[in-house]
Amino acid sequence: MNNEIYNFPSYKIHSLLKKKEIKAEDVVLSCIKRIEEKEPKINAFITKTFDTALADAKAIDKKIAKDEPISPLSGIPISIKDNICTKGIETTCASHILSGFIPPYDATVVKRLKDAGAIIIGKTNMDEFAFGSSCEHSCFGTTKNPHNLDYVPGGSSGGSSASVASCEAILSLGSDTGGSIRQPASFCGVVGLKPTYGIVSRYGLIAFASSLDQIGPLTKDVRDCAILLNAISGFDENDETSIKQPKIDYTNSLDNDISKMKIGIPKEYFEGIDGEVKDAIMNVLKGLSSLNVEIIEVSLPHSQYAIPVYYIIACSEASSNLARFDGVQYGLREEDKSLFGMYRKTRSKGFGDEAKRRIILGTYALSSGYYDAYYLKAQKVRSLIRKDFDDAFSKVSLLITPTSPTPPFKIGEKTEDPLSMYLSDILTVSSNLTGYPAISIPCKKTKEGLPIGLQIIGHYLSEGEILSLAYHIEKLEKFL
């Protein structure tokens, strides 16, 4: 059994640890063996932390041997996206410009995981600075989809989702700015949650777009998602956008009665999507109808503006946030006789093409004479998009949509067409613009065996309802 531990969800491992049927060291060794087997093909990890992971596991085993209490995450190997700061472990954002950067502190989420006894197994690959939807824009090479190595795993949290899908890690943390947890979760057939903006601290997350970024879980199933959210959520005085609310145990919501729940289906989200994706979602809706869930069509009329609004705001905030990476304080520094020359050489060599593209777009949108025409107008339309959602939530509890308009696409298929790549996020960006929570769960597979994801979107602080519905859908086996 020891060699198969990597297949188990965290709650099953926790039960076995408490019964002393396995050791935390067994769990870590199982994942290490799996990583060594899978990594040459998948490339999910940038940095591996096997030595510290084994040391941490032995410390957990000593606690268990003494019959000391352990938390649900004690001894559970977790991978961390490489834009989340980890004390003493290189954090690169998959960019040359941060090569050699070793943070002197842990992000709040990492500290909370360590306090809960979770074991960091490594840092995962990603699109550079989270700029992408395919995990092809990394200076460490492309991550492959574990279901078919010719296909992308989604992005930007492609390494995190692939590490869970391939069972190299039991759990993972990603970040979601426009769908970067949910879209790779969909492509890799795992569960990915973008929480309400502010319930998970962003302190220690290297910013892409500060008003959109959110850290969240990537897991094998919905219960694991709730367990991981329990550990990382909560107020943080280091994050000025953090929400003060009572501590919630999200696992208590999973078995809630969903009969008579009203579910909205936004008609705009089903226009122009892949046929297999649409059929898969409709099949699940049939299953929910059998549980006495009421399905209601709703409209989100400003959805057509979500992509342009998102990319104007996201690129504008990115150009501002990435201005700090100039060779003076962090990572790469290219020498030159003049200060300006050093800046130019460092940023030219340090940033990849997609990062440069977004910095240029954002700088243009914020420049004198264009701010009102682009950035300010985008913020106004953002308010209209949020109003659409508020109107919909006055009629229904939750929304169900596809996560992505298509199944996973092949590596290299969209790299020469940035606009086509950007449209991959058309069904996910609105949740970041509104700040509302959303989850992607596995729905079905295509004829070629590639995963399809179903998205559930909720109103402000509705994680409990979202997880409950997701949990019940997960049990609709004959419809999945």
Side-chain angles (χ1 to χ4, degrees):
M1 182 178 70
N2 288 358
N3 290 334
E4 300 174 354
I5 298 172
Y6 54 73
N7 285 314
F8 299 160
S10 74
Y11 51 86
K12 184 171 182 178
I13 294 172
H14 176 68
S15 175
L16 293 171
L17 288 171
K18 285 184 71 176
K19 294 175 184 176
K20 299 183 182 179
E21 294 182 15
I22 60 171
K23 293 183 177 181
E25 187 176 2
D26 297 331
V27 183
V28 171
L29 285 171
S30 178
C31 287
I32 289 174
K33 183 178 179 181
R34 185 70 170 176
I35 290 169
E36 289 174 341
E37 175 191 346
K38 293 291 183 179
E39 268 307 276
K41 294 180 180 178
I42 292 176
N43 193 34
F45 285 87
I46 291 174
T47 303
K48 306 178 189 75
T49 55
F50 295 166
D51 290 343
T52 55
L54 286 168
D56 291 343
K58 289 175 182 177
I60 296 291
D61 286 333
K62 287 180 181 178
K63 289 184 67 175
I64 295 171
K66 295 176 182 177
D67 293 322
E68 295 179 17
I70 59 171
S71 83
L73 292 182
S74 291
I76 307 298
I78 184 168
S79 61
I80 308 291
K81 188 175 178 178
D82 205 36
N83 61 345
I84 300 172
C85 287
T86 42
K87 184 177 181 180
I89 304 172
E90 187 177 24
T91 301
T92 69
C93 290
S95 177
H96 285 304
I97 206 160
L98 276 179
S99 58
F101 171 58
I102 299 177
Y105 70 99
D106 281 324
T108 296
V109 290
V110 173
K111 183 179 184 304
R112 287 177 176 171
L113 289 172
K114 287 181 176 179
D115 290 344
I119 295 174
I120 296 173
I121 198 80
K123 304 295 292 292
T124 54
N125 203 5
M126 56 183 284
D127 287 300
E128 182 182 12
F129 281 99
F131 299 154
S133 304
S134 64
C135 214
E136 293 173 282
H137 303 293
S138 166
C139 72
F140 295 96
T142 299
T143 297
K144 313 290 179 60
N145 191 315
H147 294 271
N148 187 321
L149 299 178
D150 293 330
Y151 288 78
V152 302
S156 62
S157 305
S160 292
S161 61
S163 72
V164 174
S166 60
C167 299
E168 295 175 83
I170 307 301
L171 307 167
S172 191
L173 283 189
S175 68
D176 192 309
T177 306
S180 288
I181 288 173
R182 290 160 288 150
Q183 188 248 23
S186 174
F187 281 13
C188 287
V190 298
V191 174
L193 172 70
K194 184 208 83 72
T196 299
Y197 183 82
I199 75 163
V200 176
S201 173
R202 292 184 300 110
Y203 179 72
L205 173 67
I206 297 174
F208 164 5
S210 302
S211 74
L212 305 169
D213 296 340
Q214 188 61 73
I215 295 171
L218 284 145
T219 61
K220 289 182 171 73
D221 63 21
V222 175
R223 183 173 293 277
D224 259 4
C225 186
I227 291 168
L228 186 49
L229 184 61
N230 284 348
I232 63 174
S233 60
F235 176 71
D236 178 19
E237 62 183 9
N238 292 317
D239 179 359
E240 292 184 356
T241 62
S242 184
I243 296 171
K244 285 187 178 180
Q245 63 166 344
K247 191 67 177 173
I248 298 171
D249 183 349
Y250 292 101
T251 61
N252 291 337
S253 303
L254 298 180
D255 287 310
N256 287 354
D257 183 16
I258 64 166
S259 63
K260 300 180 181 178
M261 180 182 278
K262 293 182 179 180
I263 302 297
I265 307 302
K267 61 182 183 180
E268 292 84 0
Y269 278 50
F270 288 82
E271 296 170 359
I273 66 170
D274 179 89
E276 283 190 277
V277 172
K278 185 175 182 178
D279 290 345
I281 305 300
M282 291 303 178
N283 198 45
V284 172
L285 294 177
K286 289 179 185 177
L288 288 174
S289 296
S290 71
L291 299 178
N292 295 322
V293 172
E294 187 176 354
I295 309 297
I296 302 170
E297 185 178 90
V298 297
S299 179
L300 302 172
H302 292 94
S303 296
Q304 61 182 310
Y305 305 115
I307 284 289
V309 165
Y310 168 79
Y311 276 97
I312 289 170
I313 293 172
C315 292
S316 296
E317 294 184 12
S319 72
S320 177
N321 281 322
L322 268 62
R324 73 193 72 178
F325 302 116
D326 54 13
V328 176
Q329 298 181 75
Y330 314 101
L332 179 71
R333 177 185 295 181
E334 290 293 305
E335 298 299 330
D336 192 83
K337 295 178 181 178
S338 69
L339 181 62
F340 177 79
M342 187 272 287
Y343 288 159
R344 179 174 55 81
K345 284 185 177 180
T346 298
R347 289 171 67 82
S348 295
K349 183 175 180 180
F351 289 124
D353 289 344
E354 184 61 28
K356 290 173 183 174
R357 181 182 292 117
R358 298 199 188 199
I359 290 169
I360 291 168
L361 283 170
T363 303
Y364 178 80
L366 292 175
S367 61
S368 177
Y370 296 100
Y371 177 91
D372 287 353
Y374 294 105
Y375 186 75
L376 183 60
K377 185 176 287 186
Q379 291 287 14
K380 290 178 178 179
V381 180
R382 181 182 191 174
S383 297
L384 295 175
I385 291 170
R386 180 164 182 159
K387 186 179 182 302
D388 286 348
F389 277 83
D390 291 342
D391 290 345
F393 287 128
S394 68
K395 303 169 188 172
V396 298
S397 298
L398 300 169
L399 303 175
I400 284 182
T401 79
T403 306
S404 171
T406 68
F409 47 88
K410 285 190 173 182
I411 292 170
E413 185 177 324
K414 298 188 178 184
T415 50
E416 301 302 317
D417 185 359
L419 182 57
S420 175
M421 185 78 79
Y422 295 168
L423 288 172
S424 299
D425 298 330
I426 194 167
L427 305 180
T428 54
V429 295
S430 292
S431 293
N432 300 86
L433 292 169
T434 61
Y436 293 158
I439 195 171
S440 177
I441 60 173
C443 176
K444 205 167 187 176
K445 288 187 176 180
T446 66
K447 294 174 183 176
E448 290 77 26
L450 295 167
I452 294 171
L454 175 148
Q455 181 175 222
I456 305 169
I457 306 171
H459 204 268
Y460 184 70
L461 299 177
S462 65
E463 279 78 3
E465 284 184 287
I466 287 174
L467 288 164
S468 178
L469 180 59
Y471 184 67
H472 283 83
I473 291 174
E474 198 174 60
K475 293 191 291 184
L476 288 171
E477 292 184 5
K478 70 175 183 177
F479 291 97
L480 298 180

